Amino acid sequence: MSKEKKKLGLTTKIFIALLLGVVAGSLIHYVMPAGALRDDIIVGGVFYVIGQGFIRLMQMLVVPLVFFSIICGAAAIGDTKTLGSVGLKTIGFYLITTALAVTVAITSALVVCPGIGVDLSSVVKSEVAAAEPTTLADTLLNIIPKNPVGALAEGSMLQIILFALIIGIILAKLGDRVETISNLCSQGNAIMMEMTTMIMGLAPVGVFCLIAKTFATTGFESFIPMVKYMLNVLGALVIQCFGVYMILMFLFTRLNPIKFIKKWIPVMSFAFSTATSNATIPLSIETLADKVGVSKKISSFTIPLGATINMDGTAIMQGVAVIFTAQIFGIDLGMADYLTVIATATLASIGTAGVPSVGLITLTMVFNSVGLPVEGIALIMGIDRILDMARTAVNITGDAVCTIIVSDQNKALDRNRYNAP
């Protein structure tokens, strides 16, 4: 009971820190005069160092935590047939929901018309970094690590996941013959979970500094000319998160989605403040196990995989950005172009790193697929940080919904715990 109270306390602290960050950042931006004290010491110094320091601590956890947890999860599942079934269902679900997300984005943008009536002279433009186009064949081959140690060092998540899966399957197959290695991986997993708990204790301070820096730097002026585009993206994210996901969960599991949302909101707020799916992996696995009743042997596989290939929020931004740019530059897109965007955005999400604003880089690939000028991306970069935070919250919610559905279908969901207050 005391453990539950402690976790509730941390959740409340994160919420309070998020709200205080918005207030403090806004006050600094509008009330405090520009100068070395504000820009270099407070915003670029204290807020930046503490906020990024916290992000780095969370990122420090990701590779060893994913590596050990997937080995332990695969070894616990044991049966390769079951593991293959879980993997195929998970990947299939992620690809389908991403395609649905782009469809929702394009449909809503055709209704809202976010690019009509925008005054380009008042929009802040930024430099655009292009992404190297990758073929489907190369994307598939890149899943296989040439050097597993190099993959671990570079944080190549899909390669780490594949290598860890193979080790876990072999451990399950050899059984008692590799008991020492199995115990080592299990103990490594326990150490990483304990380290996660320790670092999460710093979350309120990290969240406050991240949010305060964002609002102290951006203010609200840059949002005004882009408000139609922003509302379009946010509206599509809400439809995907509270409409598409919840309908899918109910259809596949017959569980009450509202109970899930109440338990998941703290994780969404954490993802919102950090804007990185990877940093949210430890908290997602813990919350799904402790509050939702999902078996860790399922979530330790599906959540890291989702943080790597399931970018529904990013796909929504890309879909709206395509229509926005086409309307601004007066380019007519046909049904074939829309289908191309859906396919390209879905494939672009595979292997995309779960780090802040990476969706803008892969957006160049989507624009090139239908011949849109990449200058359109420069228009939306100035206000992307807030949208990036929102779409990260949607990304990790999609991962969780998939995990619940797959767990339920594999009889690995504790329904009593799910339904508990």
Side-chain angles (χ1 to χ4, degrees):
M1 189 73 180
S2 61
K3 193 175 179 184
E4 287 296 318
K5 282 184 180 176
K6 185 181 176 185
K7 291 205 170 186
L8 184 64
L10 179 62
T11 299
T12 307
K13 287 175 187 173
I14 291 173
F15 269 128
I16 293 170
L18 199 153
L19 294 173
L20 288 176
V22 173
V23 174
S26 300
L27 286 174
I28 289 170
H29 182 81
Y30 291 107
V31 177
M32 200 169 180
L37 177 63
R38 188 190 83 170
D39 300 329
D40 300 331
I41 297 175
I42 297 177
V43 178
V46 176
F47 289 167
Y48 176 74
V49 171
I50 295 176
Q52 289 305 309
F54 176 68
I55 291 282
R56 287 193 177 210
L57 283 172
M58 293 301 295
Q59 290 172 333
M60 177 184 75
L61 295 171
V62 171
V63 169
L65 178 67
V66 168
F67 182 67
F68 285 124
S69 65
I70 285 187
I71 289 175
C72 294
I77 292 175
D79 178 17
T80 51
K81 188 178 177 182
T82 304
L83 193 61
S85 170
V86 169
L88 286 173
K89 285 177 184 174
T90 303
I91 292 169
F93 184 90
Y94 286 156
L95 291 176
I96 288 168
T97 55
T98 304
L100 284 173
V102 191
T103 307
V104 166
I106 290 174
T107 305
S108 64
L110 289 173
V111 172
V112 174
C113 297
I116 304 297
V118 175
D119 180 9
L120 289 180
S121 63
S122 60
V123 178
V124 178
K125 297 181 183 179
S126 308
E127 291 294 318
V128 181
E132 291 294 322
T134 308
T135 65
L136 180 59
D138 286 337
T139 300
L140 293 174
L141 285 173
N142 286 339
I143 297 172
I144 305 169
K146 293 178 183 176
N147 178 356
V149 177
L152 288 164
E154 293 167 11
S156 303
M157 295 308 297
L158 281 177
Q159 296 182 1
I160 293 168
I161 289 167
L162 179 65
F163 184 59
L165 270 175
I166 294 170
I167 293 176
I169 291 167
I170 292 170
L171 290 180
K173 187 177 180 182
L174 296 179
D176 294 340
R177 290 161 60 189
V178 289
E179 186 178 1
T180 304
I181 300 296
S182 294
N183 288 339
L184 182 67
C185 292
S186 179
Q187 289 163 0
N189 194 38
I191 288 169
M192 293 315 301
M193 287 299 179
E194 182 60 29
M195 193 182 295
T196 299
T197 303
M198 289 170 60
I199 291 173
M200 279 306 298
L202 303 172
V205 178
V207 165
F208 171 80
C209 290
L210 286 164
I211 294 291
K213 181 183 181 298
T214 297
F215 279 87
T217 305
T218 312
F220 296 99
E221 296 94 339
S222 58
F223 301 160
I224 294 168
M226 300 290 286
V227 70
K228 207 173 175 186
Y229 166 79
M230 289 184 69
L231 290 175
N232 191 167
V233 174
L234 292 171
L237 289 173
V238 168
I239 292 169
Q240 181 75 7
C241 191
F242 300 106
V244 174
Y245 290 154
M246 299 307 114
I247 290 168
L248 288 172
M249 183 196 285
F250 180 76
L251 288 176
F252 282 104
T253 66
R254 290 295 189 265
L255 291 167
N256 183 348
I258 295 172
K259 291 187 176 180
F260 163 71
I261 291 169
K262 285 180 180 177
K263 296 180 179 185
W264 195 246
I265 279 178
V267 187
M268 293 177 72
S269 66
F270 182 76
F272 179 84
S273 55
T274 59
T276 160
S277 301
N278 282 348
T280 315
I281 289 173
L283 183 61
S284 296
I285 293 173
E286 283 294 301
T287 303
L288 285 169
D290 296 344
K291 296 184 179 180
V292 183
V294 171
S295 168
K296 279 188 180 177
K297 67 183 182 183
I298 300 288
S299 62
S300 64
F301 170 69
T302 57
I303 293 296
L305 185 63
T308 308
I309 71 169
N310 187 41
M311 298 287 173
D312 294 354
T314 303
I316 282 172
M317 177 275 289
Q318 292 175 341
V320 176
V322 163
I323 305 299
F324 172 77
T325 304
Q327 289 174 348
I328 276 186
F329 289 96
I331 299 169
D332 290 326
L333 298 177
M335 184 54 68
D337 295 315
Y338 297 139
L339 293 174
T340 302
V341 169
I342 292 170
T344 310
T346 302
L347 291 174
S349 70
I350 301 174
T352 299
V355 296
S357 294
V358 73
L360 285 174
I361 298 172
T362 57
L363 184 56
T364 58
M365 293 162 53
V366 179
F367 272 33
N368 289 334
S369 71
V370 288
L372 289 176
V374 291
E375 288 79 11
I377 302 174
L379 302 175
I380 62 177
M381 285 182 74
I383 49 93
D384 187 67
R385 173 67 185 181
I386 298 294
L387 296 179
D388 191 26
M389 293 156 74
R391 61 180 181 258
T392 303
V394 172
N395 288 341
I396 57 99
T397 303
D399 300 345
V401 169
C402 172
T403 301
I404 292 167
I405 291 171
V406 172
S407 296
D408 186 57
Q409 292 184 344
N410 285 274
K411 306 291 188 289
L413 179 69
D414 183 347
R415 284 177 168 257
N416 290 330
R417 183 171 291 187
Y418 180 95
N419 290 313

